[in-house]
Amino acid sequence: MKVFKWLEENLEECICVIFLIAITCITFLQIVLRNLPFTTSLRWPEEFCRYCFVASAFISMGYCYRKNCVLAVDILSQHLPKFLAKILGILNRLVSIAFYGYMIMPAWGVAMNAMTRHQLSPAMQIPIWILYIFAPIGFGLGFLRGIQDLIKYLFVKNKTEA
């Protein structure tokens, strides 16, 4: 059970940290190799870093929801009575959950279409579906974290109203 609790609290954060460390290290390596007089630069780091950045952006959807740092315009809810602000908060969360839930299937379709085409990335020659699979994973994490946030918003006391 400790493993599941750790995953619940740290999954997205660890994945994003790994991607961002990889981006930093590979970019540094590329800069060093470009500036050494006897070495040529590599041709794959730009593509690798781009893919890591895109993957971390999709994975961060769930992370942002879990950490309650999703962009929101809350000026209206600040000026409403508490009851109406609570209803607006519920509607906001339901719309987000519906969006994430809706986007899972189209994103999955794009990833599966890329898989059937056997397209490879230009520099690294890896299957392009590996990049595309992060979209449905990210929307799925956003969907799950949105449901968790809605449950906390409805049933946990001392939750900041948003």
Side-chain angles (χ1 to χ4, degrees), residues 22-34:
I23 290 170
T24 303
C25 292
I26 297 299
T27 302
F28 179 75
L29 174 68
Q30 180 71 342
I31 290 169
V32 168
L33 291 177
R34 279 186 186 170

Side-chain angles (χ1 to χ4, degrees), residues 97-115:
I97 291 167
F99 173 75
Y100 287 132
Y102 174 78
M103 290 303 294
I104 292 170
M105 289 312 295
W108 180 259
V110 168
M112 292 302 103
N113 187 26
M115 187 181 287

Side-chain angles (χ1 to χ4, degrees), residues 128-144:
I128 203 75
W129 68 265
I130 293 173
L131 172 66
Y132 290 160
I133 201 70
F134 284 102
I137 291 170
F139 287 123
L141 287 170
F143 180 77
L144 293 174

Side-chain angles (χ1 to χ4, degrees), residues 6-128:
W6 185 88
L7 284 174
E8 162 66 23
E9 295 174 357
N10 300 303
L11 176 67
E12 297 97 340
E13 188 173 7
C14 285
I15 293 170
C16 287
V17 165
I18 289 168
F19 281 133
L20 296 176
I21 288 172
I23 290 170
T24 303
C25 292
I26 297 299
T27 302
F28 179 75
L29 174 68
Q30 180 71 342
I31 290 169
V32 168
L33 291 177
R34 279 186 186 170
N35 291 317
L36 290 178
F38 51 87
T39 310
T40 61
S41 63
L42 303 171
R43 45 179 230 153
W44 56 267
E46 180 186 348
E47 185 176 285
F48 175 82
C49 291
R50 186 179 328 118
Y51 290 175
C52 285
F53 181 75
V54 169
S56 68
F58 279 115
I59 298 297
S60 70
M61 284 191 267
Y63 173 76
C64 290
Y65 231 125
R66 189 173 56 78
K67 292 292 187 176
N68 198 23
C69 59
V70 179
L71 290 176
V73 179
D74 61 351
I75 191 162
L76 181 62
S77 64
Q78 291 175 350
H79 297 290
L80 290 175
K82 280 190 172 191
F83 176 73
L84 291 176
K86 183 86 168 181
I87 291 174
L88 187 62
I90 292 168
L91 288 174
N92 178 26
R93 284 161 175 82
L94 288 174
V95 168
S96 294
I97 291 167
F99 173 75
Y100 287 132
Y102 174 78
M103 290 303 294
I104 292 170
M105 289 312 295
W108 180 259
V110 168
M112 292 302 103
N113 187 26
M115 187 181 287
T116 60
R117 293 179 185 261
H118 305 290
Q119 183 181 1
L120 300 176
S121 66
M124 294 189 304
Q125 295 295 300
I126 61 168
I128 203 75

